[in-house]
Amino acid sequence: MLKVQIGTNLCGKYFLISTACYGVNYTRHLFIQRETPEEDLKPEDYQQFRDVGAACLSGGDGQQLLKFIQDEKNQVTSLILDGRLTLDESRAASVGLALSALHKQLSRLPVPYTQQQEEADEHGLCCCCVALATFTRPFVDGVKKKDENCNPTPEDDELKAEILKFCMLSLKEPLLEAELNRDRKSTLWLFAVEIMIILSAIRESLPGLLFFSSLRKFTTMDTDLSKESAACLAYLLFVQLIAMDTFPAVFNPVFILQCNMEHINQLLSRYAISKLQALFAKSLEKVEDNSLPVGVLDLESFYSAPQILYLINTSDCYFFPNVLCLFYTNTISYRSLLCRCMLKTSHHAGVEGYIVNNIRSQIQSTIKGEANKWFLGTELLLLLELVLSLPQAAETDLLTNMDKIMESLNLLRYLLTRDKELKSDADVWEELCRIKDEYLKMLRVCISMSRAYYSAEMKALKEERKLKQARSTRLLKTITVKHDKVSHMSPEVQYQVLQSALVTFDLMESLVVRIDEITEEKQGKPH
Amino acid sequence: ILSYSVFFSTSVCKESTAVFAANGIDITPRKDQGVFKVVKRQGLDGDRPMIGDKVTVHYTGKLLTGKKFDCSWERKEPFCFNVGKGQVLKAWDIGVLSMQRGEVCTLLCKPDYAYGPTGNPDKIPPNSLVVFEMELLNFEGEILTADGGIMRRIKVKGEGYSNPNDGASVDVHLEGRCGDRLFDCRDVGFIVGQGEDKGIPLGVDRAMDKMQRGECCLLYLKPKYGFGNEGKPEYKVGPDKDIVYEVTLKNFKRAKESWEMDLNEKLDLVSGVKTKGNQYFKAGRHHQAVIQYQRIISWLELECGTGMEQHKKIQDYVLTAHLNLALCFLRLKEFSQAVDNCNKVIEHDESNEKALYRRGEARLLRNEYSLAMADFQKVLEVNPLNRAARAQLSSCQSKMKEHQEQEKKIYANMFQKFAERDSKVCKLTKRRKDESMRSGMNGEVGIKRRRRSQDCPS
């Protein structure tokens, strides 16, 4: 509907701003001489600037408008702003639209990632950020004044919501991607500071955005935006320390770590590696040694922790030694966390068996090494709960899970031979025994059920063979194992398969019996 | 107030710690002298905050040297948090729970209950005693859902870090009240997400995943999460009533999460979930149906399966779940969610009649006429015999006409209005110019922002 052109004529002296409104058949042309003294501008010019500004935005020419503002900062900005401030009908909505449209233009520009690129500002991103911040200032100041005079209206609340949306958009783009360095206060750094100032001016509580936003319904934006922006905000606050001096100092570091894990996961999904590493390290720094409850690690948000550590390990981030140290001294052992994760998610008996073996070696070295004794406490129990469990209880397929079960039984046998060291914590030992007893009970049931089933199959096979030998020389028979048919096997091979299954069960049972023997021996011994 | 400022003067500080300890009460549960409290101003006699409550306080934190390290008054922003949940310093959780509304008190905190051996890098040295002056402005129950329909106040704190998830089996003791009248009192076990089967209100079911083992809490439920606009005649509870349930979570066993199950397990269970969802939908229990259908999606949306057959099976389940969700959300009048779910189907299958139709319905109900029309037209392209779509199309057209008539009226005199305003602006600017020229402030016309009060009335 509205077409806009901004240009200069040949001698660069005049701006031609023309608007053509096709629907209504009228056009306005405005020649404005550059550096026109203020007094020579007529009231109609103010009006037209305003209309042109609106037209620019609705036509998607926001970038041009921004450049225009930037270039003619002193006079034109104030004119256009004056115009804006007198917009009465749904001011908040139109401000919101203006900001969104301008930001959209901004987000198309590539983000510089080196210092040289940022200083060169080839594509003008930094410049536009400054202009946008300038543009927003009067609205923010207006809202702030209203608050101070204690007479905000619902209209003001709407305006605050639109300004908040603008801040969140800016946090996502470009700040989430930008390289920020506290020691080098670049343009983008200053833009970040500006955003924080705006958030404070519109009375937006930072703890509210970072820690308590899950229950909040944002009227002007969707949850994805708010999550990504909050992650960037957490980085700016905790790592770059922007606005940190006025942030409440009374939060529990464990709580902060829990909340930040959500943000770290967001950064992980955006592959903002250095940012998330820094945030992770900073959050761990403040947690007191041995104060992180092990149960916290079972929260879903912590399942990315091994992934993060892996990323730290494989990059040359200088946080690497610090974070690992923190991790070891904070009652979390990297390996045990990794083990727990993999046991829960791998669904592959071979892998699980390997991990259980790994756990045994770790326990071995812990006992020998005299260090990290806390590992043999609650953490060990949590690991054992995962290791000494049958996924489908009594109906577990022992053959599929054979690797894991055999390793688990070996681990149990090892633990029992090391009872002296482990009994030092009586509660832990008692719980360990309980887990062991439950596991073995279930396993025995499982073995006998499996053995019965396979024996029956073997018997049926023998009977079939006898009958067939009596009748004919047909060789093929189908066995149904679970829902699949095992066909194309000769009876001899089938027999061998069943036979080896039974042998496996015998092997398992003999291990169980051995464990029982050891238990009895130990109980018989005096303390 | 005078004694208070004397209290904080540097020279007096060392003696004052002893004074504090002498006059204050040890409020720690173990009586280990970790936190001493002195009440400066009594609060409103009445109840105290309960665990989990959202409390609002103002505070100042100082070191014994008198140096202030944190102050909410200076930020002009009261500080909010959920008390008793480990979100803040230990001293605070203990301290605030002991306060009454309007109370002002001072807490002297040993490092174990405050910043410990780590301290706080720039502000607080390791192993510092700290002093907080606190004012409890307000406290209220914890809101568990974004729409404020479930509010919780914890009577007895539970333990552990895990909560019952969807599909978990829970054992609870329930006491339901409407006003003061007890209408429901029983021990019952149910599956989270399927509480409906045992006559458990939606609010109690949905609160489960926020509860800890052993917790006893009060749940204040709005009708949406209680018995709705039907009420519950068996309990003699009328329509649209607020109810309160006291719930004790005695025990629970978590269900496996999606990432804890392998694909075969999921496929075994998924048809049961779908049937359950359909049952709830037929019974008009749309919220409950949504829970079941969403479970299907969370289990299967990232699975690929091995081989074409399995892959197709998974896809069918997921797309059907999205279609069903769209229908549920239409009934629940959550139109954007309905559209989102339809979009998921249409991404895969542009000509899915049901998805297009339901999206059209949702858009029409959101007054997005042209979009709705486009959808219904597409439906007719796919199936020209769809009478319902034809009817909807004409409904769209007539509604759109109505809307356009209204807009015409609003914008009829738009340029007239602009012209009127232009002339007003002209007058005002001229007047200001004249004024400022008289006052000799050349060159500053227009840079001063016009005051709101001088704006043209709309």
Side-chain angles (χ1 to χ4, degrees), chain A residues 162-199:
Chain A
E162 295 291 347
I163 296 174
L164 174 63
K165 180 177 177 185
F166 163 69
C167 291
M168 299 299 254
L169 285 170
S170 306
L171 284 166
K172 184 178 165 187
E173 286 166 315
L175 290 173
L176 188 53
E177 280 177 59
E179 279 292 307
L180 296 168
N181 191 329
R182 196 174 162 67
D183 303 318
R184 175 179 65 84
K185 306 245 156 94
S186 62
T187 321
L188 287 177
W189 165 278
L190 293 169
F191 183 58
V193 174
E194 185 70 27
I195 297 290
M196 294 296 247
I197 293 176
I198 295 175
L199 285 172

Side-chain angles (χ1 to χ4, degrees), chain A residues 291-303:
Chain A
S291 73
L292 193 68
V294 181
V296 158
L297 297 176
D298 277 327
L299 294 174
E300 205 175 321
S301 47
F302 274 85
Y303 270 81

Side-chain angles (χ1 to χ4, degrees), chain B residues 299-424:
Chain B
W299 283 356
L300 296 179
E301 68 181 336
L302 296 174
E303 296 276 7
C304 300
T306 50
M308 280 310 294
E309 204 188 302
Q310 205 180 52
H311 176 69
K312 182 152 193 321
K313 196 172 171 193
I314 293 171
Q315 219 179 42
D316 281 343
Y317 271 119
V318 173
L319 293 180
T320 312
H322 278 301
L323 282 172
N324 291 345
L325 278 172
L327 198 53
C328 288
F329 285 126
L330 277 171
R331 298 281 176 273
L332 290 169
K333 300 198 169 49
E334 303 259 11
F335 302 124
S336 9
Q337 298 222 56
V339 170
D340 287 341
N341 278 289
C342 292
N343 286 341
K344 290 260 162 72
V345 180
I346 294 170
E347 266 168 36
H348 264 109
D349 174 11
E350 284 183 340
S351 332
N352 188 304
E353 202 180 324
K354 275 189 190 160
L356 288 162
Y357 185 87
R358 287 171 193 174
R359 190 171 71 175
E361 276 187 290
R363 283 172 162 171
L364 179 56
L365 289 160
R366 285 215 301 206
N367 297 330
E368 292 171 349
Y369 303 116
S370 32
L371 291 171
M373 276 175 67
D375 280 339
F376 290 127
Q377 271 159 353
K378 188 82 202 270
V379 172
L380 287 169
E381 271 176 48
V382 170
N383 175 10
L385 301 172
N386 192 322
R387 269 203 230 137
R390 218 168 276 282
Q392 290 279 19
L393 201 55
S394 51
S395 168
C396 274
Q397 279 159 340
S398 56
K399 286 222 170 107
M400 204 162 152
K401 235 185 182 176
E402 257 180 65
H403 192 84
Q404 279 170 340
E405 293 295 316
Q406 276 193 337
E407 280 197 333
K408 258 194 198 166
K409 283 187 194 157
I410 297 175
Y411 294 114
N413 299 318
M414 178 173 72
F415 289 108
Q416 173 95 358
K417 285 186 193 162
F418 278 162
E420 279 172 22
R421 195 168 337 141
D422 280 359
S423 67
K424 281 187 192 153

Side-chain angles (χ1 to χ4, degrees), chain A residues 38-39 47 50 82 85-86 88 205 212 215 245-246 248-252 255 288 293 296 299-300 347, chain B residues 59 70 75 79 86-89 115 117 123 143-144 161 259-261 421-422 433 445-446 449-450 456:
Chain A
E38 189 85 19
E39 298 87 77
Q47 173 72 21
R50 190 178 86 202
D82 268 356
L85 284 171
T86 62
D88 295 311
S205 136
F212 301 115
L215 288 176
D245 48 348
T246 49
V250 295
F251 284 110
N252 183 339
F255 176 67
E288 219 178 286
V296 158
L299 294 174
E300 205 175 321
H347 307 306
Chain B
Y59 68 95
D70 197 2
R75 284 193 291 270
F79 181 73
Q87 291 177 357
V88 291
L89 305 171
Y115 297 95
K123 300 180 179 178
I143 305 285
L144 297 185
Y161 272 90
W259 38 266
E260 285 174 287
M261 297 193 278
R421 195 168 337 141
D422 280 359
K433 248 196 209 172
V445 174
R449 233 176 288 129
R450 255 180 250 139
C456 320

Side-chain angles (χ1 to χ4, degrees), chain A residues 365-426:
Chain A
S365 55
T366 308
I367 288 178
K368 280 198 193 133
E370 292 286 336
N372 300 330
K373 281 295 185 191
W374 41 258
F375 167 64
L376 299 175
T378 326
E379 206 172 331
L380 178 62
L381 288 177
L382 283 168
L383 271 174
L384 287 179
E385 265 174 6
L386 287 176
V387 168
L388 302 177
S389 71
L390 293 170
Q392 284 88 32
E395 287 163 32
T396 308
D397 186 338
L398 293 175
L399 296 177
T400 339
N401 291 292
M402 186 174 80
D403 288 337
K404 184 189 172 194
I405 295 174
M406 295 302 269
E407 286 289 354
S408 313
L409 291 172
N410 274 325
L411 172 64
L412 253 184
R413 192 175 55 164
Y414 172 75
L415 286 174
L416 286 174
T417 59
R418 284 268 162 250
D419 62 332
K420 249 188 245 141
E421 287 89 342
L422 296 169
K423 268 183 185 161
S424 56
D425 189 333

